[in-house]
Amino acid sequence: MNRCREDSMHWITIILIGIAANLDNLGIGLAYGVKKTEIPFISNLTIAVVSMIVTYVSVMIGSILIEYITLEKANFVGSLLLCVIGAYTIVLHIFSCTKSIKNLEGIDKDRNNVISIREAVVLGLVLSMNCLGGGIAIGANGISAIWTVLSIGIFSIVTFSIGGRFGLLLSETFIGRYSAVISGIILIFIGILEMHI
């Protein structure tokens, strides 16, 4: 019974990590949508693949931690790291969210209002930094790397698609304005959740 409960909680964590890691993508997608900058599917897929690769590497790093410390300590470190990343995300948003969004909008170097594959690789690398700490924490908690990576990739595609298509409509909503804060709160929630599994 405990094993079933633990597995179901890990699935919830995998889904929430996918959402939390990509809420920034939603924010950037909204910014592009408002400016009518197009993100073709192939570019969207490129961003997702880059995020998945970075996430997989970071989860593997986290998994290595388990080899050197006890499972209980690894779980605690991983959960604590998620809480710290969540708090850091919120603080960073408060002090520099407008500036960071403007910087990311500058990815469209040729100013043709289309994110090319080359620009998508750069954008994917910048946005995947969100996945680094979370991936290490997930790996330390012994959660499936493959499912975590797939969750990150799927939600990356979904959030950019929604942001790009409904940018003008969603940019003024609560989620649009506070996507980074919501992401941070979700990460803190996941950290606390994992501490009690």
Side-chain angles (χ1 to χ4, degrees), residues 103-116:
N103 288 343
L104 286 173
E105 286 175 357
I107 295 285
D108 185 19
K109 297 290 185 188
D110 49 17
R111 305 294 180 190
N112 65 347
N113 286 339
V114 177
I115 300 299
S116 66

Side-chain angles (χ1 to χ4, degrees):
M1 192 63 150
N2 283 341
R3 182 64 187 169
C4 282
R5 180 176 172 275
E6 185 176 329
D7 287 343
S8 64
M9 295 301 268
H10 281 333
W11 277 110
I12 291 170
T13 296
I14 288 168
I15 292 168
L16 287 176
I17 277 287
I19 294 170
N22 288 297
L23 278 176
D24 269 0
N25 296 23
L26 177 62
I28 300 304
L30 291 173
Y32 283 140
V34 168
K35 290 182 174 294
K36 302 198 181 311
T37 297
E38 185 185 351
I39 306 172
F41 178 75
I42 189 67
S43 297
N44 194 351
L45 184 62
T46 301
I47 293 166
V49 169
V50 171
S51 295
M52 290 166 75
I53 291 169
V54 172
T55 301
Y56 183 77
V57 171
S58 62
V59 171
M60 289 298 98
I61 292 170
S63 300
I64 292 169
L65 288 175
I66 299 177
E67 303 296 324
Y68 297 97
I69 58 178
T70 64
L71 185 60
E72 290 76 15
K73 284 182 180 176
N75 284 340
F76 178 77
V77 169
S79 300
L80 187 63
L81 186 57
L82 282 170
C83 291
V84 169
I85 293 167
Y88 175 74
T89 301
I90 294 169
V91 171
L92 196 65
H93 170 80
I94 292 169
F95 289 106
S96 63
C97 96
T98 305
K99 183 180 176 183
S100 64
I101 286 174
K102 283 182 178 175
N103 288 343
L104 286 173
E105 286 175 357
I107 295 285
D108 185 19
K109 297 290 185 188
D110 49 17
R111 305 294 180 190
N112 65 347
N113 286 339
V114 177
I115 300 299
S116 66
I117 293 177
R118 182 179 295 179
E119 290 165 345
V121 171
V122 177
L123 185 56
L125 285 171
V126 172
L127 291 172
S128 65
M129 293 304 103
N130 291 341
C131 305
L132 266 176
I136 292 171
I138 288 297
N141 277 322
I143 297 171
S144 168
I146 298 300
W147 287 113
T148 300
V149 166
L150 285 174
S151 178
I152 294 283
I154 290 167
F155 281 107
S156 174
I157 292 171
V158 169
T159 51
F160 260 115
S161 297
I162 291 172
R165 183 161 300 207
F166 303 106
L168 206 55
L169 187 65
L170 294 176
S171 61
E172 292 305 313
T173 65
F174 182 81
I175 293 176
R177 283 178 291 167
Y178 300 105
S179 58
V181 174
I182 296 169
S183 172
I185 291 170
I186 292 174
L187 287 172
I188 292 170
F189 173 75
I190 295 169
I192 294 169
L193 188 71
E194 286 295 317
M195 282 183 188
H196 293 88
I197 294 179

